[in-house]
Amino acid sequence: MLLGAVGETDEGLLEFAKGCPNLQKLEMRGCSFFSEHALAVAATQLTSLRYLWVQGYGASPTGRDLLAMARPFWNIELIPSRRVVVNNNMDGPVVSVHHPAHILAYYSLAGQRSDFPDTVVPLDPATFVEP
């Protein structure tokens, strides 16, 4: 299921999760009202969920609340929000582009991948250290 720019409360997300126990894949874009804690609780209520991608949400600096969705073989990857300066040509204006935070979480029997780009922070409950 793909949801875009929906929801205004964490409670709405949690009610949605209660009603979709067989949902296996969820993608959400521009749902900036949802907190990390609500996303984590919803993921645990979606007992059949195998893949979660969220772009634009109420991100914290560390992603600590996302650890509530941790379970065996469940990989959680955080891409923190960032601002990128773009100048496509020498004569054009310099533009600052905001990239919202992303979450990618998925099941994998192979474990955590090791080819993370610099922009990705793997969240592992066993090794999580608050910065």
Side-chain angles (χ1 to χ4, degrees):
M1 177 173 287
L2 172 60
L3 301 175
V6 298
E8 294 183 10
T9 65
D10 287 348
E11 291 80 19
L13 175 62
L14 298 176
E15 286 300 314
F16 166 79
K18 287 180 191 174
C20 301
N22 296 325
L23 188 66
Q24 293 184 7
K25 183 178 180 181
L26 178 59
E27 296 184 4
M28 299 170 51
R29 296 181 188 166
C31 301
S32 60
F33 293 105
F34 299 143
S35 69
E36 288 177 345
H37 178 73
L39 290 166
V41 171
T44 61
Q45 290 178 346
L46 295 165
T47 55
S48 297
L49 194 65
R50 300 292 176 253
Y51 173 87
L52 173 67
W53 177 69
V54 182
Q55 175 192 38
Y57 63 95
S60 73
T62 64
R64 183 178 199 274
D65 285 345
L66 295 173
L67 293 173
M69 76 168 86
R71 50 190 165 207
F73 307 108
W74 185 246
N75 296 318
I76 306 168
E77 300 175 10
L78 173 64
I79 301 119
S81 63
R82 65 193 190 284
R83 192 161 290 284
V84 178
V85 176
V86 179
N87 185 2
N88 290 336
N89 62 51
M90 297 279 193
D91 299 327
V94 174
V95 178
S96 177
V97 178
H98 177 258
H99 293 275
H102 295 241
I103 301 166
L104 177 62
Y106 55 92
Y107 269 109
S108 173
L109 296 177
Q112 287 277 6
R113 63 188 183 124
S114 59
D115 61 345
F116 296 108
D118 293 341
T119 55
V120 175
V121 177
L123 294 180
D124 183 354
T127 61
F128 184 80
V129 175
E130 193 87 34

